[in-house]
């Protein structure tokens, strides 16, 4: 098959590969891929304070080595020879942004949100080409940007979906009382379900060509460098790790098709995972 599992890198994700050079690391952390020559902190501050590195509608460069920064806007590409800074995708259908595959990333958390949530939401908002679904029983006390949506889901509703859609035999999905869960970020058992989110939240993901999951303790840089357009068009699964470490509970992406969304069912451990109350590390490469 011409498709396959590819990997890329995102700062903050634990990886067995050597650290990225500072130049690449700055590009990934920057508010726009073309901020490569601007110090990371300076670029993030420019986005936070709405300072513009280049004037609106000025020429920019969408490549990783581009000289200009569009913060707080984006660099939109029309052809290999022309791109421009702007607050939104131009209306003309000839611009590349009209044909980009759609991706929805799920962040699932139950209980109160951490105190860094405003920074987290800021990094999600900066990734205009991606949508983010915050699945939880508590609405975070922050302003929701256009590409971030809250999905209200209690533990009871999650258990019902697991039983009805996955055939789970779990008696309950629960978390200890208080704001701190056993795993530090969410109920441990929920992590086992991450590869199954495509089926559990099929209605919420309808219409997207890709779906993925990520943790709320990851502050994103430019996600388009992790999942560039050519990978979204030619791959079925995108992992941050090198082969054969093809699974990460921190961040993964899957093509939203029945064949790929149900890949987890091919595991010999799937039945055990859905009938055992304890965390089986099903979302990580070192799990079953």
């Amino acid at each position: 098959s011409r498709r396959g599992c590819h990997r890329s890198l995102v700062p903050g994700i634990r990886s067995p590969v050597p650290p990225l050079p500072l130049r690449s690391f700055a590009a990934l952390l920057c508010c726009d891929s073309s901020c490569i020559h601007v110090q990371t902190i300076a670029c993030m501050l420019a986005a936070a304070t709405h300072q513009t590195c280049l004037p609106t509608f000025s020429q920019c460069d969408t490549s990783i080595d581009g000289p200009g920064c569009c913060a707080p806007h984006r660099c939109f590409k029309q052809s290999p020879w022309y791109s421009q800074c702007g607050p939104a995708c131009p209306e003309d259908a000839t611009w590349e942004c009209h044909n980009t595959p759609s991706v929805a990333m799920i962040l699932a958390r139950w209980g109160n949100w951490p105190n860094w949530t405003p920074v987290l939401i800021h990094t999600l908002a900066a990734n205009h080409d991606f949508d983010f679904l915050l699945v939880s029983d508590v609405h975070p006390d922050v302003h929701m940007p256009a590409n971030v949506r809250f999905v209200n889901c209690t533990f009871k509703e999650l258990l019902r979906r697991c039983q009805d859609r996955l055939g789970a035999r779990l008696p309950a999905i629960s978390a200890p009382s208080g704001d701190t869960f056993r795993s530090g970020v969410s109920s441990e058992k929920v992590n086992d379900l991450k590869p199954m989110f495509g089926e559990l939240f099929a209605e919420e993901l309808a219409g997207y060509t890709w779906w993925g999951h990520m943790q709320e303790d990851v502050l994103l840089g430019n996600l388009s460098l992790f999942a560039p357009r050519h990978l979204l068009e030619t791959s079925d699964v995108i992992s941050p790790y090198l082969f054969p470490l093809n699974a990460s509970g921190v961040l993964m992406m899957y093509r939203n098709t029945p064949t790929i969304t149900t890949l987890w069912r091919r595991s010999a451990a799937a039945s055990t995972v859905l009938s055992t109350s304890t965390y089986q590390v099903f979302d990580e490469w070192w799990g079953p």
Side-chain angles (χ1 to χ4, degrees), residues 229-245:
R229 181 174 176 177
H230 74 274
L231 283 187
L232 294 176
E233 292 178 343
T234 61
S235 307
D236 289 319
V237 177
I238 301 178
S239 167
Y241 292 150
L242 292 168
F243 179 84
L245 314 181

Side-chain angles (χ1 to χ4, degrees), residues 5 10 25 29 43 45 52-53 71 102 161 168 184 200 226 232 236 242 245 248-249 254 260:
C5 297
V10 169
F25 187 72
L29 279 180
C43 185
L45 287 175
T52 304
C53 303
S102 57
R161 293 192 184 199
L200 287 174
F226 171 77
L232 294 176
D236 289 319
L242 292 168
L245 314 181
S248 168
Y254 304 86
I260 303 304

Side-chain angles (χ1 to χ4, degrees), residues 207-219:
Y208 289 99
T209 53
W210 280 77
W211 68 273
H213 59 75
M214 61 173 286
Q215 293 184 176
E216 75 277 20
D217 58 352
V218 176
L219 301 180

Side-chain angles (χ1 to χ4, degrees), residues 64 111 125 198 205 242 244 246 260 282 287:
I64 193 170
L205 297 171
L242 292 168
N246 288 333
I260 303 304
F282 193 60

Side-chain angles (χ1 to χ4, degrees), residues 44-285:
M44 293 179 72
L45 287 175
T49 58
H50 301 290
Q51 297 175 2
T52 304
C53 303
L54 290 176
T56 304
F57 306 126
S58 59
Q59 177 85 27
C60 56
D61 191 334
T62 57
S63 71
I64 193 170
D65 291 317
C69 175
C70 288
H73 300 319
R74 297 169 53 201
C75 187
F76 293 98
K77 182 178 180 180
Q78 185 181 43
S79 70
W81 306 277
Y82 184 74
S83 300
Q84 73 176 27
C85 289
C89 180
E91 294 182 0
D92 190 336
T94 61
W95 290 80
E96 189 175 274
C97 48
H98 286 283
N99 302 307
T100 302
S102 57
V103 183
M105 300 295 295
I106 294 178
L107 287 83
R109 179 188 175 91
W110 282 266
N112 290 340
W113 289 79
N115 55 11
W116 63 82
T117 299
V119 180
L120 168 66
I121 299 300
H122 178 76
T123 69
L124 303 186
N127 284 277
H128 311 268
D129 290 335
F130 300 82
D131 286 347
F132 299 89
L133 309 183
L134 308 187
V135 179
S136 179
D137 57 348
V138 177
H139 195 294
D141 187 21
V142 295
H143 170 72
M144 290 291 194
N147 64 329
V148 180
R149 177 163 59 97
F150 175 71
V151 177
N152 187 24
C153 182
T154 64
F155 270 119
K156 183 178 180 179
E157 169 63 14
L158 180 64
L159 178 60
R160 185 192 66 79
R161 293 192 184 199
C162 287
Q163 293 170 337
D164 294 349
R165 304 181 184 190
L166 310 181
R169 298 185 298 279
L170 298 171
I173 299 178
S174 60
S177 60
D179 297 335
T180 303
F181 297 88
R182 285 175 298 170
S183 66
V185 292
S186 64
S187 180
E188 285 182 335
K189 186 58 185 178
V190 174
N191 293 326
D192 275 341
L193 306 178
K194 288 177 180 177
M196 312 170 190
F197 279 176
E199 291 189 66
L200 287 174
F201 302 104
E203 295 91 341
E204 290 81 3
L205 297 171
Y208 289 99
T209 53
W210 280 77
W211 68 273
H213 59 75
M214 61 173 286
Q215 293 184 176
E216 75 277 20
D217 58 352
V218 176
L219 301 180
L220 291 178
N222 188 343
L223 196 55
S224 293
L225 297 181
F226 171 77
R229 181 174 176 177
H230 74 274
L231 283 187
L232 294 176
E233 292 178 343
T234 61
S235 307
D236 289 319
V237 177
I238 301 178
S239 167
Y241 292 150
L242 292 168
F243 179 84
L245 314 181
N246 288 333
S248 168
V250 177
L251 190 149
M252 286 288 292
M253 290 185 181
Y254 304 86
R255 185 176 293 277
N256 195 16
T257 63
T259 300
I260 303 304
T261 295
T262 59
L263 278 176
W264 66 270
R265 293 181 178 271
R266 301 185 186 183
S267 171
S271 178
T272 300
V273 170
L274 291 175
S275 60
T276 305
S277 298
T278 56
Y279 177 41
Q280 301 295 299
V281 203
F282 193 60
D283 58 324
E284 299 285 1
W285 61 266

